[in-house]
Amino acid sequence: MARRAPTIHHLSASLDELDSELESSNSEYATYRVHIPPTPDNQPVSMRLSSLKFINNSEVREDQYIASSLFTGGHNRATRALSKEKIIESETSFKGAFCALPGCNAGSMIDSQGLEIVPCACDFKICKDCYRDALRNGNGICPGCKEAYAEPDLSRLAVDNHNAQAFNSERSLSVVKPISEFDYSGFLNETKRSYGYGNAVWPKDDVNGVGVNNKVFNDKQWKPLSRTWNVSAAVLTPYRILIIFRMVALAFFIEWRITHPNEDAIWLWGISVICEIWFAFSWLLDQLPKLCPINRTADLDVLKDRFETPNPGNPAGKSDLPGIDVFVSTADPEKEPPLVTANTILSILACDYPVEKLSCYVSDDGGALLTFEAMAEAASFASLWVPFCRKHDIEPRNPESYFNLKRDPYKNKVRPDFVRDRRRVKREYDEFKVRINGLSDSIRRRSDAFNTRNEMKALKKWRENDSDEAIDSLKILKATWMADETHWPGTWTVPAPEHSRGDHASIIQVMLDPPSDEPLAGSTGDGNSMDLSQVDIRLPMLVYVSREKRPGYDHNKKAGAMNALVRASAIMSNGPFILNLDCDHYIYNSQALREGMCYMMDSGGEHLCYVQFPQRFEGIDPSDRYANQNTVFFDVNMRALDGIQGPVYVGTGCLFRRISIYGFEPPLSVENSGCCGCCFPHRRKIAATPASPASSEGSQSIGMGTYDDEEMNIALIPKRFGNSSMLIDSIRVAAFEGLPLADHPSIKNGRPPGALTLPRKPLVAITVGEAVNVISCWYEDKSEWGHEVGWIYGSVTEDVVTGYRMHERGWKSVYCMTKRDAFRGTAPINLTDRLHQVLRWATGSVEIFFSRNNAILGGPKIKLLQRIAYLNVGIYPFTSIFLIVYCFLPALSLFSGQFIVQSLNITFLVYLLLITLTLCGLAVLEIKWSGIELEEWWRNEQFWLIGGTSAHLAAVLQGLLKVVAGIEISFTLTSKSAGDDEDDDFADLYLFKWTSLMIPPLTIIFVNLIAIAVAVMRTIYSNNPQWSSLVGGVFFSFWVLAHLYPFAKGLMGRHGRTPTIVFVWSGLIAITISLLWVAIKPPSANADIGGSFQFP
C-alpha cells in the first residue's frame, strides 16, 4: 500500500512566506507558542564547555540567550556583578606585594606571621577577595596561568585576633586559641558581635572566605532529596524466617503425600498431589520477591531549596526543574465520558509545578469531535479554576471531586473572600458540566442543520441544471461539522470514507498556548470577579492529539497512541520526563509531580527509568466486594519489588525518563543486586547511552561520565527512530536536561546548576507541521518503534512488557507512596466488568509467557528476584487449570465417599495445621509491615479464587488459540461511566449482566452444595458412617464456598430485590437432587432407608 502523506493546510513552504502570511491574515498558527528546551549552543557562557553544535531551528539569535543568562563561570569577568558585596577591610598597615589583577589595589594574601601566600605555582599574586572570587565564580582557575588552583592550605591563612587586626572586629571569625594564650575577655566581647562559622549559625555576610574551605562546609550541608530505610527488623526478620519455615514444611508435606498414596482412590490422590505441587510452586514464585520490602520518602523542602531558591547563580530564583509532558489517553467518549476526561485535564493544569515546565497532551484515539470540544470547554474553564486553586490552595484540584467532598470545605481557609470565590466557581462549574453534557446533542443538531443546508443547495443546483439524473442519485455525505462551519477531520457520527474510527487524518490542536517565562499576575477583582492581583494566572500548554489511522495499518491500540504522543511531544516541548495517566485518573495530590521528581533528581537518579505511583480508586463500595482496590498488590507486592530492582509498570500514574523510553541503557555503574547483592554483584557495561549535548571530553568535565559516542550516533539513524531530524535532534537535549544537578561529589552524572532557567524557544508553524508528520500512520514503518523503542507492541498488557524491557536493559525503578494519595481514579465495581478487566490482564500475561518477553529468556542485567517476579506475571493465569480441578475435588470426594488421603491421621492433620498457621502468620506480618487491613487481605484471597476459576481460565484458552491458531485477541474497553441511579453511589454494584465467564464458578458452587447435601444424608442414613471422609470433604467444600461468597452475592443482586421464590425453588431443587442421589445409590446394602424409595 502506498504511503499517504498527511496534508497540512495553511502552512507556508518557507519562513519568509509564513511571515508574510501571518502579517496579512490572522492565521491560526500566529498564536502558537511553546518552550523548547535550549540546545547546548544556546547556554550561558559558563556552560559552553565544548564545541559541539546542535541543529537550531529557531531564528532567535544566540546573543539573546547570553544576554538573558543569569549565570557566572569560566573566565567571563563581565558577570561579576552577581558576586557578593566585598568586605571592607580596616585601615591597617600593610607589608608586602599588591594584587596582580588589573584594577585591584588590595594587598596580596599573608599568613598570621606576615609572610606572603602565593596560592598558585605560577607565582601569581592575588588578594583575598579576588582569590575568593576565583574560587567561587571562576571555577577555581588561576587568573595568571589559567590552571586550576590546588586545594587551599588553610593552616597558613591569617586568622582574626586582637594582635593582628586584618579585618573589622565586627565581622571577625571566632577562633579558639591554646589555653595558655586564650584571652577570655576578648573572646566574650567578640562573640557578642559574631558567632563565627558552624552548623548552628552561619554569618549572613560571607567573610573570611580565604580562611575557610566553603566547599567542605557546603558538602556537609548537602541533603538528599529522598530517603530509604528498611522495614523494622522486628517484623521483617520473623517474616523471612516464616517464609523459609513454610518452604520447608511444604517440601516435607509434598514428600509425605507422594510416599503415602490413597490406594482406595488412587485417581483422587494423584490429581490432588499434582495440584498441590503446582500450588507450592506458584506460592514460591509469589513469595520470594517479597523478601526485601523497603520504605521511601521524599523531601519537598530540599527540592525547593535546591531548584527554586535564589542563589548567586540564579538571583531571581527561577525554577531549575526539568520539564514534564503529561499524557492523557482516551479512545471512546461513550465509555469514557468527556466530563471525566475534562476533570482529569483540569487537575493537571492546576498541579503545583512550574507552569512553564509543564505541558499536557490529550490523545483521542477515537478522533471524536465530542472529545475535542470537551477539551476546548475545559481549556476555557481552566482560566477560572486554576487561579482559584492557586489562590486558596485547593485540594484536590479536580473540581468534581472537590465539590463533592464530604468534609467541611471551609476548614483551614482564612481569606475573607474564599466563600464568595468558591460560590462563583461552583456556579461556573455547574454551567460547565451542563455544557459538557449537552455537547453531544449540540453537535448532532449543528451537523443536521448544516447537512440539511447542503442537501437543499444540491437539490437547488440539480433543479437549475435540469439534470437527467434521478434525484435519488444525489448523495450528500452526512458529515460532522465543527462550530466554524467546517468538516471535522476526524471520525464522523455517520462513518464515511476517511472519516471513520479506523480511517481519519492526523489532528493536532494547541488548546492553550505555551505560557510566558515570567509570572503573570491577574487583575484586581470587583464584586463580580475574583481578585487575582497576587496570583499567577498563567496556564500550562494543552495540546489535543489524534493520530492518523488508515485501513491496512496495525495501529497497536493504546501502545501505538502512546508512541505517537512521545514523538509529537518531543517535537513540540521535549520534556525530559513523561507522566502518563488514564483519562479517569486525576491528580489528587497537587505536589505529586514534585515528589516523583525528588527521586529522579536525587543522587543515583540518572539510573531510574520511571517512578511508579500506587493506584487508588474512588467510588468503590465500602466492603470492596471484588477487591477493586488491589491493596495487596499495590501495598505489598509493589513495595517488596521496590527493594530489588523496582516495581513493574502498571499502565498509569507513572513518571518516565524520556531517554529510557527511547531504548537506551543507563549510565555505567557498579551495582549490587538488592538484597542479593552480596551473592550476585555485577558490573553493567553500557555502550549506547546519550550523555549530554557536549562532546565526550566536555561531558567528562562536568561529571557526565564516559559514553560511546560512535555507537550513540549509530543508534540515532532514521532506521531506529524514523526520518524526522527534529525528533532525532531532541534526543540528546532530553537526555541532558533529565540529569540531576551536579552540585555534589555523589552526583556522578549530572548537569550544571542553572542550565534550565533560560526561556525556551517559541512554537512556530513548522514545528507543529513536523509534529503532525511524526504521528502519521506510516511513520513507524521500517523503524524500531514498538519493538525496541517506546511502548512495546504485541500484548494487550503493553505496560508490563514496556517496564520489563527497561529493567532488562539494567534500569531501575522506584515506588513512590505519598502520604496523601498522588492519583485517584475509577474502577469497575460491577462483577461483569470486573471479570472482563481481569480477563484482559490475564490474557496479556499469557501472551507474555509465550513471547520473547518471558522472564526465563531475559538478559543478565535483570536481577534474580526481579526475574522471578516477572516470571510469576506470565505464569499465574495457568494456576487456574489446577485451581478449578482442586475446587471440584471436595465434591468428587463427597460423591465417592473417598478422600485425598487414606485417612485423617495425625501426620496429615499436623502438616495441614502447620501450612495453615504459617500462611496466617505471613498474612499477619504482611499486614504489619505494609499497613493494609485484614479485610483487604481476605478480599484479595477471595477474588483470587473467583478470578482463577473464571477469567484466568478463559485467558489461558485465548492465549493458546493465539499461539496455536493465530487468532488475534480483542478486548472490551473498561467503562468509566457511573450507574444510572443517581440516588445510590453504588448502583452499578448490583447491576447483573450475564457473561460466559460466570459458568465455571457457578458450576463449582452448585456441585459443592449438592455434594455436601448428598454426603450428609448418606452418612446419616449409613449403617457404617465414614465421618472422617465427610468432615474432610465438607471442610474443603466450605473453604471453596467461602471464597466464592462474593461471587454468589453478586449474582443475587441488590438485597431485597431478588424475589423470595428464587430462594425457595433453589432449596427445593437442592433437596430433590440430594434425595434422588440417595435413592438411586443407597449408602449401604440395607434397602430399608434409601433403597425403599420408589418413583410414583
Side-chain angles (χ1 to χ4, degrees), residues 222 306 601-606 702-703 739-751:
W222 187 88
R306 190 178 300 176
M601 293 289 102
D602 204 1
S603 176
E606 66 274 13
I702 60 174
L739 293 173
L741 286 182
D743 58 350
H744 192 266
S746 63
I747 308 295
K748 303 302 181 183
N749 302 293
R751 58 177 171 85

Side-chain angles (χ1 to χ4, degrees), residues 33-318:
R33 294 291 187 276
V34 76
H35 287 182
I36 302 298
T39 52
D41 55 338
N42 288 328
Q43 298 289 349
V45 175
S46 61
M47 294 167 54
R48 199 165 298 129
L49 303 176
S50 68
S51 59
L52 180 63
K53 300 297 181 180
F54 278 72
I55 299 175
N56 186 3
N57 294 293
S58 175
E59 297 298 328
V60 182
R61 298 188 314 166
E62 182 177 320
D63 295 344
Q64 184 177 357
Y65 288 88
I66 300 175
S68 62
S69 175
L70 299 175
F71 305 100
T72 61
H75 305 93
N76 188 3
R77 308 292 292 178
T79 58
R80 291 186 61 188
L82 293 178
S83 62
K84 294 184 178 179
E85 180 184 359
K86 290 188 177 181
I87 302 171
I88 301 175
E89 299 184 18
S90 60
E91 295 179 0
T92 59
S93 60
F94 174 74
K95 298 179 181 180
F98 291 89
C99 180
L101 280 176
C104 182
N105 297 324
S108 62
M109 292 188 293
I110 59 173
D111 61 9
S112 58
Q113 298 178 355
L115 300 178
E116 190 178 68
I117 298 177
V118 180
C120 185
C122 69
D123 199 27
F124 185 88
K125 296 177 178 56
I126 188 171
C127 67
K128 287 174 295 211
D129 287 345
C130 293
Y131 178 61
R132 180 190 62 185
D133 188 74
L135 288 178
R136 294 186 178 177
N137 300 330
N139 294 329
I141 304 299
C142 174
C145 64
K146 310 301 181 183
E147 297 292 336
Y149 279 120
E151 286 294 327
D153 185 6
L154 304 182
S155 62
R156 297 182 55 201
L157 295 179
V159 296
D160 288 6
N161 52 47
H162 292 280
N163 298 325
Q165 299 178 354
F167 302 99
N168 193 330
S169 61
E170 291 291 332
R171 310 177 72 169
S172 61
L173 172 65
S174 303
V175 177
V176 179
K177 303 175 183 179
I179 296 179
S180 60
E181 303 177 2
F182 195 79
D183 184 354
Y184 289 95
S185 61
F187 176 75
L188 292 176
N189 292 331
E190 187 178 60
T191 54
K192 290 180 181 178
R193 300 182 178 91
S194 174
Y195 291 97
Y197 287 87
N199 60 353
V201 177
W202 190 264
K204 294 183 179 179
D205 296 316
D206 188 11
V207 300
N208 299 340
V210 174
V212 178
N213 189 346
N214 293 304
K215 182 177 182 299
V216 176
F217 177 82
N218 292 332
D219 289 350
K220 293 181 179 179
Q221 293 297 309
W222 187 88
K223 295 180 180 179
L225 293 169
S226 62
R227 187 168 63 93
T228 303
W229 70 96
N230 295 324
V231 176
S232 173
V235 177
L236 189 58
T237 300
Y239 182 71
R240 292 172 173 173
I241 294 175
L242 206 55
I243 291 176
I244 297 175
F245 180 79
R246 194 167 194 267
M247 290 170 56
V248 175
L250 283 173
F252 280 104
F253 172 70
I254 293 176
E255 188 273 337
W256 182 86
R257 290 278 285 119
I258 294 175
T259 57
H260 293 77
N262 184 2
E263 300 295 344
D264 297 335
I266 196 69
W267 59 275
L268 196 63
W269 166 83
I271 294 175
S272 63
V273 168
I274 294 175
C275 294
E276 289 162 1
I277 292 175
W278 179 265
F279 293 151
F281 172 69
S282 178
W283 174 83
L284 201 62
L285 292 181
D286 180 70
Q287 200 67 46
L288 285 179
K290 298 179 183 178
L291 289 172
C292 310
I294 60 172
N295 297 310
R296 295 183 188 270
T297 184
D299 195 332
L300 297 179
D301 293 334
V302 177
L303 183 75
K304 183 175 181 62
D305 181 68
R306 190 178 300 176
F307 290 88
E308 296 178 325
T309 302
N311 56 68
N314 183 17
K318 290 186 177 181

Side-chain angles (χ1 to χ4, degrees), residues 598-757:
C598 285
Y599 299 103
M600 289 294 192
M601 293 289 102
D602 204 1
S603 176
E606 66 274 13
H607 298 111
L608 299 182
C609 55
Y610 60 82
V611 175
Q612 177 66 59
F613 294 85
Q615 292 186 20
R616 305 300 186 204
F617 302 100
E618 294 179 335
I620 305 298
D621 56 297
S623 63
D624 195 11
R625 180 186 295 178
Y626 306 123
N628 295 92
Q629 293 287 3
N630 275 335
T631 50
V632 173
F633 174 75
F634 287 112
D635 292 3
V636 179
N637 297 71
M638 297 284 274
R639 283 181 63 185
L641 289 176
D642 197 18
I644 309 172
Q645 198 172 345
V648 299
Y649 168 42
V650 295
T652 183
C654 190
L655 181 65
F656 283 96
R657 184 180 300 276
R658 182 182 286 270
I659 201 67
S660 68
I661 296 178
Y662 289 150
F664 294 109
E665 297 179 344
L668 182 66
S669 67
V670 179
E671 295 183 0
N672 293 331
S673 302
C675 62
C676 301
C678 58
C679 301
F680 304 100
H682 62 279
R683 182 178 181 89
R684 298 188 290 106
K685 182 179 180 181
I686 310 304
T689 308
S692 72
S695 63
S696 59
E697 180 181 357
S699 64
Q700 294 176 14
S701 64
I702 60 174
M704 291 292 297
T706 303
Y707 302 93
D708 194 333
D709 285 339
E710 182 179 355
E711 294 195 24
M712 175 66 180
N713 294 331
I714 294 176
L716 292 180
I717 60 177
K719 180 180 180 182
R720 183 177 179 90
F721 296 101
N723 58 4
S724 172
S725 59
M726 294 180 65
L727 173 62
I728 295 175
D729 293 340
S730 70
I731 295 176
R732 284 187 181 270
V733 178
F736 172 73
E737 294 186 347
L739 293 173
L741 286 182
D743 58 350
H744 192 266
S746 63
I747 308 295
K748 303 302 181 183
N749 302 293
R751 58 177 171 85
L756 304 184
T757 57

Side-chain angles (χ1 to χ4, degrees), residues 334-337 584 826-828 833 972-978 988 993:
E334 295 182 0
K335 293 188 176 182
E336 298 170 332
D584 61 324
T826 59
D833 293 338
T972 303
L973 188 66
T974 304
S975 176
K976 276 78 175 180
S977 59
D988 200 43
K993 297 182 289 185

Side-chain angles (χ1 to χ4, degrees), residues 460-604:
K460 181 179 178 180
K461 184 177 181 180
W462 177 80
R463 290 174 178 174
E464 291 176 352
N465 294 336
D466 194 17
S467 176
D468 296 335
E469 298 181 2
I471 192 172
D472 295 337
S473 62
L474 294 177
K475 294 183 180 180
I476 306 300
L477 295 176
K478 300 293 183 180
T480 299
W481 294 77
M482 302 175 68
D484 60 353
E485 300 186 17
T486 59
H487 284 179
W488 168 243
T491 301
W492 288 356
T493 304
V494 179
E498 298 188 358
H499 292 284
S500 60
R501 290 186 61 87
D503 185 13
H504 61 80
S506 306
I507 306 172
I508 290 183
Q509 181 68 37
V510 181
M511 297 288 187
L512 290 175
D513 295 334
S516 60
D517 186 59
E518 298 293 337
L520 178 64
S523 60
T524 303
D526 52 20
N528 298 322
S529 61
M530 287 192 297
D531 181 8
L532 302 177
S533 58
Q534 299 179 353
V535 181
D536 187 2
I537 62 173
R538 294 177 301 163
L539 298 177
M541 183 174 70
L542 175 62
V543 182
Y544 172 90
V545 179
S546 181
R547 58 179 174 145
E548 182 186 20
K549 289 186 175 182
R550 298 300 179 190
Y553 287 90
D554 186 0
H555 302 295
N556 297 294
K557 303 180 178 66
K558 181 181 177 180
M562 296 302 293
N563 285 338
L565 285 183
V566 171
R567 297 190 296 271
S569 63
I571 299 297
M572 300 181 69
S573 58
N574 198 30
F577 295 96
I578 294 173
L579 173 69
N580 86 289
L581 296 172
D582 288 343
C583 65
D584 61 324
H585 272 72
Y586 68 92
I587 299 179
Y588 186 75
N589 182 353
S590 62
Q591 293 189 325
L593 274 64
R594 291 180 175 270
E595 296 215 23
M597 200 56 63
C598 285
Y599 299 103
M600 289 294 192
M601 293 289 102
D602 204 1
S603 176

